[in-house]
Amino acid sequence: MARSETRAQIVAAADRLIYERGFEHTSFTTIAEAVGLSRGNFYYHFKTKDEILAAVIDSRIETTRGMLRCWEDEAAEPAERIRRFIRIVETNGADIRDFGCPVGTLTAELAKLHHPSRPEAAALFTLFRDWLGTQFTALGHAAEADAMALHVLAFSQGIATLANAFGNEDFVRREVERLEAWLADCTSKSARS
Amino acid sequence: MARSETRAQIVAAADRLIYERGFEHTSFTTIAEAVGLSRGNFYYHFKTKDEILAAVIDSRIETTRGMLRCWEDEAAEPAERIRRFIRIVETNGADIRDFGCPVGTLTAELAKLHHPSRPEAAALFTLFRDWLGTQFTALGHAAEADAMALHVLAFSQGIATLANAFGNEDFVRREVERLEAWLADCTSKSARS
DNA sequence: ATCCATCTAGGATGATCGTCCTACCGGCTT
DNA sequence: AAGCCGGTAGGACGATCATCCTAGATGGAT
């Protein structure tokens, strides 16, 4: 198989495994078995475990960029775009209940490990933060756009954490509605002004 | 030294280490060095690593119970009690910026590990949930008390996660104010009815 | 058919992990 | 003084980890 193909397969498998089991608890052997390759062969594709992590984070950044672009294409209205973001916790409900938010849990783990890739993981948050900020600016809240973006981000993280802890889907819908109500309130204010 | 004393020392050291580095990344050796005991001596006090974790969680539950009782003693007003809870993210600001919320990060890690002590860790959340629910009931919101408790809990978790990711203290204060404003709105509603 | 670059398999290495065992020490009882 | 017992030290154990190396397989170009 071509080098890049195998690499992509490894990254895809590692991505999922790191999400499900955490970075530290994901071993070379586990990834190798998932891809169907021999353990020793990894050195040819990735020299260190940290290199795999970096590739996974890069891949996630690329995927996220694509998702944001997709939301921009599908929805012209900034408020509707933000709603797309808010609803991921429902869309990916099952995964979040089982494994939490991929971004939040990875960032938290890397922080505890003092891992060099921690800033890159946090950059995933920044991606959402900036994109949401752009949408709030478009809604006419330029001055508070970043604060509002962080609010939406934080709220979503909280929902994900508790959904994972309690496994309660009623709660998720309720909090999503609460956040959407807050958003509707924001847009009505911007329409008035 | 008496058995119970050493045990308490081990639990205290393990508690802190598990918070700072995560459960999996905290080894027997690390805890032993922190307490100043020999590695092998642990078997006398704790037969397995999971046993230490269970003891740490029990200790945290007891500490939390004490903190909640303290808030009840210090503040007669339910709204003020809830505000005490909300402000932990500021009180423990430095720790949260470095290591996140002790409850949230531990629960998330144990979920990924499919660890048998996961329910016990989640019970820490339940402790706060029930206590907050009691306060909201006292405020006259019996019907939505649990939902409101979960909302406060989720909000706090979100703040903690992002504070850890971005290390931004302005954000923490802003979101705390937002949550306190929401709470003030709730109490004014209950006063009116 | 030969050759070379690409890719793979599988084992060796040293470190660290949780776990366990046994020899030891010091203070108390008798 | 003798003996016991709660507490300790330190090393051995097998497993697993990330990493590294080397021998072999594959397949297209010559």
Side-chain angles (χ1 to χ4, degrees), chain A residues 51-123:
Chain A
E51 224 171 87
I52 300 183
L53 176 64
V56 166
I57 293 176
D58 283 347
S59 154
R60 285 192 188 180
I61 287 177
E62 220 37 63
T63 307
T64 304
R65 282 223 179 87
M67 187 170 66
L68 296 177
R69 237 180 286 120
C70 177
W71 288 342
E72 287 171 14
D73 292 344
E74 285 177 14
E77 272 298 306
E80 177 57 26
R81 290 176 180 175
I82 297 170
R83 237 169 279 134
R84 296 282 165 111
F85 171 81
I86 292 173
R87 285 185 193 137
I88 343 178
V89 292
E90 283 186 325
T91 313
N92 300 343
D95 273 349
I96 287 174
R97 228 176 356 263
D98 290 341
F99 314 111
C101 167
V103 185
T105 53
L106 181 63
T107 306
E109 185 183 0
L110 297 186
K112 284 186 199 276
L113 297 176
H114 299 288
H115 195 281
S117 284
R118 175 192 186 344
E120 279 79 33

Side-chain angles (χ1 to χ4, degrees), chain A residues 18-22 24-26 97-102 104-109 111-114 118 122 125-126 129 146-151 153-155 157-159 161-162 164-166 168 171 174-175 178 182, chain B residues 18-22 24-26 97-102 104-109 111-114 118 122 125-126 129 146-151 153-155 157-159 161-162 164-166 168 171 174-175 178 182:
Chain A
I18 288 175
Y19 176 38
E20 291 184 0
R21 314 155 75 122
E24 193 164 39
H25 195 244
T26 302
R97 228 176 356 263
D98 290 341
F99 314 111
C101 167
T105 53
L106 181 63
T107 306
E109 185 183 0
K112 284 186 199 276
L113 297 176
H114 299 288
R118 175 192 186 344
F125 267 136
T126 309
R129 176 184 184 171
D146 184 53
M148 292 168 99
L150 283 173
H151 175 68
L153 213 49
F155 210 136
Q157 281 300 307
I159 297 173
T161 305
L162 257 63
N164 177 241
F166 290 126
N168 185 338
F171 154 76
R174 215 163 44 220
E175 293 300 310
R178 214 191 284 270
W182 173 85
Chain B
I18 288 174
Y19 176 38
E20 291 184 1
R21 315 156 76 123
E24 194 163 38
H25 194 245
T26 303
R97 233 180 345 269
D98 291 341
F99 315 111
C101 168
T105 54
L106 180 64
T107 307
E109 184 183 1
K112 284 186 199 276
L113 298 176
H114 299 289
R118 182 216 243 264
F125 267 136
T126 309
R129 176 185 185 170
D146 184 54
M148 293 168 98
L150 282 173
H151 175 68
L153 214 47
F155 209 136
Q157 282 299 307
I159 298 173
T161 305
L162 258 65
N164 178 240
F166 291 126
N168 185 337
F171 154 77
R174 215 165 43 221
E175 293 301 308
R178 216 191 284 271
W182 172 86

Side-chain angles (χ1 to χ4, degrees), chain A residues 7-26:
Chain A
R7 242 189 92 100
Q9 271 193 311
I10 292 175
V11 169
D15 190 343
R16 187 67 199 174
L17 284 166
I18 288 175
Y19 176 38
E20 291 184 0
R21 314 155 75 122
F23 170 67
E24 193 164 39
H25 195 244
T26 302

